Amino acid sequence: EKNPNCPACSNKPQKIEFPPSAKLQDVIEHLKTNPAYQMKAPGVTTSIDGKNKTLYIQTVASIEERTRPNLKLSLAELGLVDGSELMVADSTSPSSILFHLKLSPTNQAG
């Protein structure tokens, strides 16, 4: 029986929120450490202007080497905008999980 709260089983897009200045590494760490996801080696792809773009894939050495510089780039530098979709694949889930990226305002008073 499917758990409606399970991100992989529900097939519902998950919301994920970061400031535009957050690095891709921050997003990956969140996916690994957040109790709801507990991923081991998430691979992240997106679609920008109708073209699929691999942001980071750790499990294939040649792709990991090519996409490693993206870890240090901010979400804005990667071309991600509010509402961007991130497809995340991980060995802990039988199917990819779709995330809707919400970019939080950077000019928050605090």
Side-chain angles (χ1 to χ4, degrees):
E1 192 167 312
K2 289 185 178 183
N3 176 350
N5 297 324
C6 168
C9 304
S10 69
N11 287 332
K12 284 187 192 155
Q14 304 292 306
K15 287 191 173 33
I16 190 167
E17 185 170 344
F18 284 92
S21 59
K23 306 285 186 241
L24 182 59
Q25 178 72 51
D26 300 331
V27 175
I28 289 178
E29 283 305 310
H30 173 77
L31 294 171
K32 290 163 91 171
T33 58
N34 185 304
Y37 309 118
Q38 298 180 351
M39 295 185 178
K40 294 186 181 348
V44 185
T45 58
T46 190
S47 181
I48 296 175
D49 297 328
K51 292 185 184 148
N52 286 335
K53 179 177 180 177
T54 300
L55 298 179
Y56 184 70
I57 292 184
Q58 186 176 332
T59 52
V60 181
S62 60
I63 299 175
E64 194 283 332
E65 197 173 300
R66 196 181 74 229
T67 58
R68 189 181 312 144
N70 289 346
L71 291 173
K72 293 181 173 41
L73 296 177
S74 72
L75 301 180
E77 288 170 326
L78 289 166
L80 298 172
V81 297
D82 192 49
S84 286
E85 292 185 343
L86 301 177
M87 287 298 294
V88 180
D90 188 69
S91 61
T92 59
S93 169
S95 57
S96 294
I97 301 173
L98 179 65
F99 287 89
H100 280 177
L101 180 65
K102 169 111 177 76
L103 293 181
S104 52
T106 53
N107 58 352
Q108 292 175 331

